Amino acid sequence: MDYKDLYKKWCQKACEDKDITSELEEIKDNDNEIYERFYKALEFGTAGLRGIIGAGTNRMNIYVVRQATQGLANYVLSKYGKGSVAISHDSRIKADVFMIEAAKVLAANGIKVYITKELQPTPVLSYLVRYFKCQAGIMITASHNPAAYNGYKAYGEDGCQMTDIAANAVYEEISKIDIFDDVKTMELDKALECGLVEYVGDEVYDSYIEQVKKQQINPGICKDADLKVVYTPLNGTGNKLVRRILKEIGVTDVEIVKEQELPDGNFTTCPYPNPEIKEALQKGLELCDKVKPDLLLATDPDADRVGIAVKDYDGSYRLITGNEDGIMLTDYILSSRKKNGTLPEKPVMVKTIVTSVLLNRICEKYGCELKNVLTGFKYIGEVILNLEKKGQEDRFVFGFEESYGYLAGTYVRDKDAVVASMLICEMAAYFKKQGKTLAQVIDGIYDEYGYYMNSTLSFEFEGAAGMQKMDGIMSGLRKNMPKEICGYKVVKTADYKLSEEKDLVNGTESKIDLPKSNVIQFNLEGDNAVIVRPSGTEPKIKLYITAVGKDKASAKAVSDKLAKAMEEDLGLK
């Protein structure tokens, strides 16, 4: 069925949501707008679904959510015979509506559903799956995307985002389903009455907080550290649980950014609510200038990621990158646990391939095994699962990715800004008692190991034409792999889609023992590197650049040269 026929079908059958019927009417004479909404269906992958809220198969709406959930229900029933699913949502527009619609579909298929009474962080959903021993989970969120977006993350029985195999199986089921005629649904009141849908009790959140508290490295360190914190939940889900955990570990002087305190899917003060970018932290930085805290914490809308700024030498506030925060936390956790005698035998730390290679040297210092995985926290979760299967889950000490996602402990299988916020404050308190700021801590690490600058550049490609251009860029790069970039010789290449690694110095080739992914990596002389990766959840190509120098200035000069060369060679400008 072509896009025009799909449009006509939706005009006839999509009658339950007034927003959708109005939108369909508004675009009736605009072929381009109809095409954008119907030229394809949102694809269900390991990140679930993500798209602009609106009418059509290429948008997030109740019909797309129902279809995806019917596919998930079919998968659960075929694999387990019966089952249960936990569902929650963040502060996104229509997120609560999509949660209820998903619950109604699952209940109609005879699957028990646990839903939250109010919005909750993504890591809590992961915890609910494990707590209730569910066969799957759903989190309605678009993470840090702009307000126009929403999404649908699917989780497996281990509380980790679905792997490639499971996601493909669900997608196969979805592909068989007519979006209107093949979906079962049940009224919520009836589902609650017969016990197929149940609201999560407060005692479950209490148990989650207790698990987070168990991840403290130096318990009690915050109680007399006189630590002052500014916190912004960026109008998302972190407000209650982050503030609660900080209070319970002894961080009581917490100033909240009032404009960003309460849930608001419009994100009026930060249109792109991403703690990676300065604009999202601007209100927090303004409050820092007034109240002069030790640090600023900012959690993204679904509170699985956290960004920070710390007091610098001159009293201003320095933004800390996701890599720098993870580097400090890794060093703090390993050094403190070794000192305290709580570091397990053969400890394991996990990072993604685009995360700083400085971690290699820190892990070597403390005798910690470092595992590299593909981008996506589900792969860190898989490492934990494999350790758990061997009865060795206690070996896992920390995992993180450069995009501000961190996890200590195995109680959840996704990045968790609640535990990360706790550990960051604990680390700040620990060093404050020694008379050090976190700015001094990260600079001290650079003094010890050298200055490793990690930069991420994103290039957006909107719409159907944008996706085609992204595909062309990646295929063109594979056909013409450079031998040098900006004067730096390429010493090794890794194509994760082809699972091939080539050492250009000695001429050897080897297989990459990781799932296939559309990523190309160039290792350059001098420990510099460039990685090219299309986003799996957004219409973007990302460049990850590692530049090594004697100091920040020299590293930045290398980084700028590499970035400019790649932008020009790939036609990204």
Side-chain angles (χ1 to χ4, degrees):
M1 190 177 294
D2 72 9
Y3 71 96
K4 291 182 180 178
D5 290 333
L6 278 171
Y7 170 73
K8 292 176 183 176
K9 182 177 180 179
W10 275 62
C11 287
Q12 293 169 357
K13 295 198 171 187
C15 305
E16 296 176 61
D17 188 320
K18 292 181 180 179
D19 292 337
I20 290 177
T21 54
S22 296
E23 186 176 337
L24 291 171
E25 175 65 22
E26 287 172 7
I27 65 171
K28 65 181 180 180
D29 298 319
N30 191 325
D31 189 68
N32 287 336
E33 292 296 333
I34 293 172
Y35 179 72
E36 282 293 335
R37 287 161 177 77
F38 292 98
Y39 81 95
K40 70 170 186 174
L42 289 179
E43 289 189 17
F44 187 98
T46 56
L49 302 167
R50 191 176 298 185
I52 295 170
I53 302 163
T57 55
N58 191 33
R59 294 290 188 266
M60 282 294 297
N61 52 67
I62 61 172
Y63 303 105
V64 168
V65 167
R66 287 175 182 173
Q67 183 188 38
T69 308
Q70 183 64 56
L72 179 64
N74 292 350
Y75 166 78
V76 169
L77 293 174
S78 65
K79 183 173 182 178
Y80 301 100
K82 58 180 181 179
S84 61
V85 177
I87 317 178
S88 189
H89 68 92
D90 67 5
S91 59
R92 293 266 159 189
I93 295 167
K94 292 186 181 289
D96 55 341
V97 174
F98 294 164
M99 178 186 75
I100 295 300
E101 291 299 328
K104 289 160 61 177
V105 171
L106 291 165
N109 283 272
I111 295 172
K112 177 66 181 276
V113 187
Y114 300 93
I115 61 174
T116 58
K117 296 176 183 176
E118 61 181 6
L119 73 175
Q120 294 292 342
T122 286
V124 169
L125 184 278
S126 176
Y127 183 75
L128 297 179
V129 172
R130 296 178 61 77
Y131 182 92
F132 289 112
K133 296 181 172 56
C134 296
Q135 282 64 54
I138 301 167
M139 182 68 190
I140 305 297
T141 177
S143 188
H144 57 276
N145 281 78
Y149 284 76
N150 210 330
Y152 179 114
K153 285 185 181 180
Y155 288 74
E157 62 183 326
D158 60 342
C160 185
Q161 281 192 57
M162 280 192 170
T163 61
D164 299 316
I165 294 173
N168 288 338
V170 173
Y171 181 63
E172 283 186 17
E173 294 291 344
I174 294 171
S175 301
K176 302 172 187 175
I177 296 166
D178 183 279
I179 198 167
F180 297 110
D181 298 336
D182 298 337
V183 177
K184 299 177 183 178
T185 189
M186 174 187 288
E187 288 302 315
L188 180 62
D189 288 344
K190 182 179 178 182
L192 287 165
E193 185 179 340
C194 67
L196 279 169
V197 174
E198 178 181 328
Y199 284 106
V200 176
D202 290 343
E203 71 279 0
V204 182
Y205 306 120
D206 294 340
S207 69
Y208 164 80
I209 287 292
E210 288 306 309
Q211 289 296 324
V212 173
K213 286 167 69 175
K214 287 180 182 179
Q215 310 313 317
Q216 294 176 87
I217 306 301
N218 291 296
I221 196 81
C222 294
K223 291 182 179 178
D224 58 354
D226 193 29
L227 193 71
K228 186 178 184 66
V229 176
V230 164
Y231 170 57
T232 172
L234 295 179
N235 301 118
T237 61
N239 190 37
K240 287 188 176 181
L241 292 183
V242 170
R243 293 170 74 173
R244 177 177 173 181
I245 195 66
L246 295 187
K247 183 178 180 181
E248 292 194 15
I249 67 168
V251 182
T252 56
D253 192 353
V254 180
E255 293 272 356
I256 305 299
V257 179
K258 290 300 181 182
E259 302 97 322
Q260 299 172 339
E261 178 179 14
L262 300 179
D264 182 358
N266 293 299
F267 308 117
T268 54
T269 60
C270 54
Y272 202 78
N274 182 351
E276 295 183 54
I277 61 175
K278 185 176 181 180
E279 289 79 5
L281 276 62
Q282 190 58 45
K283 289 292 182 183
L285 291 169
E286 290 171 7
L287 184 56
C288 286
D289 288 337
K290 294 178 182 177
V291 302
K292 302 298 181 184
D294 296 290
L295 75 153
L296 163 69
L297 290 173
T299 54
D300 69 340
D302 65 325
D304 60 352
R305 304 189 310 139
V306 59
I308 69 172
V310 302
K311 187 181 288 185
D312 216 336
Y313 302 99
D314 62 357
S316 65
Y317 287 84
R318 184 200 299 190
L319 294 178
I320 298 296
T321 69
N323 272 308
E324 289 176 327
D325 199 357
I327 287 165
M328 287 192 288
L329 284 169
T330 300
D331 190 69
Y332 169 68
I333 290 169
L334 291 176
S335 62
S336 291
R337 290 192 66 174
K338 187 169 185 177
K339 179 180 178 182
N340 298 343
T342 59
L343 194 63
E345 287 188 29
K346 300 180 180 178
V348 172
M349 188 266 171
V350 192
K351 75 173 186 69
T352 60
I353 58 173
V354 298
T355 299
S356 178
V357 295
L358 180 50
L359 273 296
N360 298 22
R361 300 185 63 185
I362 294 173
C363 286
E364 285 172 7
K365 178 178 179 179
Y366 295 104
C368 179
E369 181 182 355
L370 176 62
K371 291 184 178 290
N372 284 284
V373 296
L374 293 178
T375 303
F377 219 86
K378 56 184 173 286
Y379 297 113
I380 295 176
E382 279 189 318
V383 172
I384 301 172
L385 176 62
N386 291 333
L387 290 171
E388 185 180 53
K389 288 177 178 177
K390 300 174 185 177
Q392 299 175 2
E393 62 265 32
D394 289 344
R395 289 179 59 198
F396 174 77
V397 292
F398 192 56
F400 88 94
E401 55 187 4
E402 46 71 45
S403 54
Y404 297 65
Y406 314 96
L407 177 65
T410 62
Y411 60 101
V412 298
R413 298 299 160 84
D414 209 342
K415 49 191 177 287
D416 187 351
V418 181
V419 75
S421 296
M422 179 191 77
L423 289 172
I424 290 165
C425 288
E426 182 187 312
M427 175 174 65
Y430 175 86
F431 286 110
K432 185 172 184 179
K433 286 189 170 184
Q434 298 178 22
K436 293 182 180 179
T437 66
L438 291 184
Q440 291 172 313
V441 171
I442 187 61
D443 287 347
I445 291 174
Y446 286 143
D447 288 342
E448 181 177 356
Y449 296 101
Y451 204 102
Y452 283 69
M453 177 173 284
N454 298 94
S455 305
T456 303
L457 290 82
S458 294
F459 303 88
E460 296 192 13
F461 300 85
E462 292 290 353
M467 296 300 290
Q468 291 174 355
K469 185 173 182 180
M470 286 169 59
D471 290 341
I473 288 171
M474 296 305 292
S475 61
L477 186 57
R478 286 190 169 89
K479 290 177 183 176
N480 298 288
M481 298 281 270
K483 296 294 189 294
E484 68 173 44
I485 300 175
C486 198
Y488 293 93
K489 289 182 180 179
V490 177
V491 296
K492 185 181 291 185
T493 64
D495 189 329
Y496 292 88
K497 185 175 183 179
L498 303 178
S499 300
E500 293 178 352
E501 184 175 87
K502 296 181 180 180
D503 189 318
L504 303 187
V505 176
N506 57 31
T508 59
E509 296 185 15
S510 58
K511 282 289 182 183
I512 297 172
D513 189 22
L514 289 173
K516 293 183 183 297
S517 182
N518 193 14
V519 179
I520 300 174
Q521 178 174 333
F522 301 97
N523 289 353
L524 312 176
E525 57 186 343
D527 221 11
N528 302 295
V530 174
I531 296 175
V532 186
R533 182 182 79 89
S535 172
T537 56
E538 303 168 272
K540 293 180 179 180
I541 281 182
K542 293 186 176 183
L543 293 183
Y544 301 86
I545 295 173
T546 298
V548 184
K550 295 179 181 179
D551 53 27
K552 184 176 181 179
S554 60
K556 188 177 188 307
V558 174
S559 181
D560 290 345
K561 285 170 61 179
L562 291 173
K564 183 178 180 181
M566 292 303 295
E567 287 175 26
E568 292 176 351
D569 290 348
L570 297 180
L572 295 173
K573 285 190 172 182

